[in-house]
């Protein structure tokens, strides 16, 4: 396949038409779609503007959702992203944005996907959420061999995930499940009543036993109070050092924001960014140091240019916000904190308008917002 590099871009694209869901012409909507297109240009939110280090080739036929990166033993960086429309993975060079290849096809067999959304890389394994296969598939890097899948018995409409070490050679995987109660007259999905939101997140233990892949369902959780419930879920990320789980609430009717839970699944009584997020809270990432300090980054999904809010890791105080010159309408994000040849202090990846991925050098983010460039400085 011929390699492609994104051409120079001077203006952000405003967006894409909604996709047709089937031959009958019914329009498919995400649970958080409202038809509105909030613009950062008119939102009057203070922020710094940072030039993207690169933007991958634009591929409107793919409907790119979420990115994740991996550094190979030889230092090569692979940037993977899920493609919802074509049911496969996009693979780029994580240092340059060069389009390398595609992986997978539509289907339910190993190595196939149906509507892949969330993606995470932990160690040398890739975890891919498939909404329409109702599962999470696990792939082995660098060859992307399918090791197995889990969740089909419990997951109804999975979206995002977070993976962490269990301390025993296994990992724990938390998966958001955006099951809905039905649709209104406009075809928009309706969240369930509060009492039925107690299974918004499913928990799994995943590993190998005697060389064979195995996964065990550990149960579900979800707050059912007015203040703590998640009506429209997608992104989540955890911080083991502070027993903290941040979850994006995308429901505009009750106020899009980020809720704080503990790792056991209990709402801590704090919601970040009510009134601060003007579009929709989306992808979440965490920059960490061994002493417990660091920064949270949470996405506000404006159509023209996405806004990325930065919060203190320990106190959750708001430290400022930044946008790119081009990147907009962001779903998933990924923070690669380890050094690469191009990005010696790390890189922040953000999906751009369903068509590709933009990269921000951490040094540029740190300079713009007066953040630490490294844990030692």
């Amino acid at each position: 396949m011929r390699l492609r590099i994104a051409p120079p871009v001077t203006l952000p694209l405003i967006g894409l038409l909604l996709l047709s869901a089937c031959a009958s012409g019914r329009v498919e909507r995400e649970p958080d779609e409202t038809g509105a297109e909030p613009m950062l240009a008119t939102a009057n939110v203070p922020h710094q503007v940072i030039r993207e280090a690169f933007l991958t080739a634009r591929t409107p036929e793919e409907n790119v959702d979420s990115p994740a990166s991996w550094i190979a033993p030889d230092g090569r960086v692979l940037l993977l992203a899920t493609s919802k429309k074509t049911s496969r993975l996009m693979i780029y060079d994580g240092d340059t944005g060069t389009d390398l290849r595609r992986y997978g096809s539509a289907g339910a067999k190993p190595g196939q996907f149906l509507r892949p959304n969330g993606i995470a890389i932990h160690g040398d394994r890739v975890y891919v959420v498939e909404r329409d296969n109702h599962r999470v598939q696990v792939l082995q890097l660098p060859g992307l061999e399918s090791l197995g899948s889990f969740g089909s018995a419990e997951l109804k409409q999975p979206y995002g995930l977070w993976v962490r070490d269990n301390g025993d050679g296994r990992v724990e995987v938390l998966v958001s499940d955006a099951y809905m109660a039905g649709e209104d007259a406009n075809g928009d999905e309706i969240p369930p009543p509060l009492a039925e939101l107690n299974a918004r997140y499913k928990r799994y233990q995943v590993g190998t036993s005697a060389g064979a892949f195995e996964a065990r369902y550990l149960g579900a959780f979800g707050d059912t109070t007015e203040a703590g419930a998640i009506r429209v879920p997608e992104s989540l990320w955890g911080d083991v050092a502070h027993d903290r789980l941040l979850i994006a609430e995308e429901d505009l009717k009750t106020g899009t924001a980020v809720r704080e839970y503990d790792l056991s699944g209990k709402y801590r009584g704090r919601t970040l960014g009510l009134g601060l997020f003007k579009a929709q809270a989306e992808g979440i990432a965490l920059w960490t140091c061994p002493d417990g300090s660091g920064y949270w980054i949470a996405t506000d999904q404006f159509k023209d240019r996405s806004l990325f809010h930065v919060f203190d890791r320990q106190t959750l105080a708001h430290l400022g916000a930044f946008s790119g010159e081009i990147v907009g309408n962001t779903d998933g994000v990924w923070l690669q904190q380890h050094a690469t040849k191009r990005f010696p202090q790390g890189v922040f990846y953000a999906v751009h308008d369903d068509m590709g991925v933009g990269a921000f050098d951490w040094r540029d983010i740190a300079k713009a917002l007066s953040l630490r460039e490294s844990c030692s400085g």
Side-chain angles (χ1 to χ4, degrees):
M1 180 177 293
R2 183 172 64 89
L3 299 182
R4 295 184 296 166
I5 300 177
V9 182
T10 57
L11 293 174
L13 296 183
I14 296 304
L16 299 174
L17 296 176
L18 294 175
L19 300 174
S20 173
C22 60
S24 66
R26 177 183 174 274
V27 174
E28 180 184 16
R29 298 180 186 270
E30 299 281 0
D32 57 329
E33 285 180 348
T34 64
E37 295 186 353
M39 300 293 182
L40 180 59
T42 58
N44 195 31
V45 181
H47 65 282
Q48 301 295 320
V49 179
I50 301 172
R51 181 186 295 272
E52 292 85 352
F54 68 71
L55 186 68
T56 65
R58 290 176 171 176
T59 52
E61 70 277 8
E62 296 291 347
N63 198 347
V64 179
D65 186 82
S66 296
S69 65
W70 178 71
I71 302 177
D74 63 3
R76 181 175 48 120
V77 187
L78 293 183
L79 173 61
L80 283 64
T82 53
S83 172
K84 292 187 290 191
K85 186 176 180 181
T86 60
S87 292
R88 57 187 181 181
L89 301 181
M90 315 287 291
I91 304 175
Y92 311 97
D93 184 305
D95 263 350
T96 67
T98 300
D99 190 342
L100 298 179
R101 63 188 178 98
R102 310 285 188 269
Y103 173 83
S105 60
K109 296 179 180 179
Q112 294 184 320
F113 311 94
L114 282 182
R115 187 79 175 198
N117 290 295
I119 182 172
I121 294 178
H122 188 86
D124 58 1
R125 293 184 176 182
V126 186
Y127 298 77
V128 182
V129 175
E130 301 176 57
R131 190 194 70 177
D132 292 354
N133 273 334
H134 316 289
R135 70 184 185 185
V136 178
Q137 187 171 177
V138 184
L139 309 170
Q140 180 73 50
L141 287 161
L144 294 175
E145 299 86 3
S146 181
L147 299 178
S149 62
F150 60 91
S152 59
E154 303 85 24
L155 296 170
K156 300 175 183 178
Q157 192 164 297
Y159 271 77
L161 78 166
W162 175 61
V163 184
R164 67 153 173 168
D165 283 314
N166 238 4
D168 58 359
R170 298 178 176 86
V171 298
E172 184 177 75
V173 183
L174 304 184
V175 186
S176 60
D177 198 352
Y179 55 88
M180 292 290 160
E183 296 181 350
D184 62 20
N186 297 319
D188 296 323
E189 293 191 289
I190 304 170
L194 291 175
E196 297 176 19
L197 295 176
N198 61 340
R200 265 295 182 239
Y201 300 91
K202 271 74 173 184
R203 192 187 302 269
Y204 297 88
Q205 179 178 276
V206 182
T208 56
S209 178
F213 175 84
E214 65 174 12
R216 184 162 65 94
Y217 177 54
L218 301 179
F221 66 89
D223 193 86
T224 57
T225 67
E226 185 72 31
I230 302 294
R231 281 81 169 174
V232 182
E234 186 170 331
S235 301
L236 69 159
W237 201 264
D239 182 359
V240 175
H242 297 287
D243 187 27
R244 179 175 286 151
L245 186 67
L246 292 191
I247 300 174
E249 166 62 275
E250 297 179 306
D251 184 43
L252 297 178
K253 294 180 180 179
T254 57
T256 184
V258 175
R259 305 209 195 284
E260 181 191 6
Y261 280 53
D262 64 23
L263 295 180
S264 73
K266 295 181 180 178
Y267 176 54
R268 281 184 158 176
R270 178 158 48 171
T271 294
L272 305 179
L274 276 175
L276 180 65
F277 287 84
K278 305 293 185 181
Q280 289 178 357
E282 264 282 357
I284 299 173
L286 178 63
W287 189 92
T288 67
C289 285
D291 65 359
S293 64
Y295 309 105
W296 287 97
I297 303 177
T299 307
D300 202 359
Q301 191 186 36
F302 287 97
K303 191 71 175 176
D304 54 345
R305 288 184 299 117
S306 296
L307 191 65
F308 304 103
H309 291 286
V310 180
F311 299 89
D312 183 84
R313 179 189 182 190
Q314 296 171 313
T315 68
L316 300 183
H318 187 249
L319 302 178
F322 69 94
S323 76
E325 294 181 344
I326 298 170
V327 166
N329 194 31
T330 298
D331 287 313
V333 300
W334 183 265
L335 181 64
Q336 172 63 60
Q337 193 169 343
H338 297 293
T340 72
K341 183 177 180 180
R342 172 81 178 274
F343 303 109
Q345 299 298 341
V347 54
F348 176 68
Y349 299 109
V351 164
H352 170 56
D353 205 17
D354 300 335
M355 293 183 291
V357 183
F360 296 88
D361 192 315
W362 179 257
R363 294 171 296 180
D364 295 336
I365 298 172
K367 181 179 179 180
L369 294 180
S370 299
L371 307 177
R372 295 172 65 181
E373 190 173 283
S374 69
C375 291
S376 60

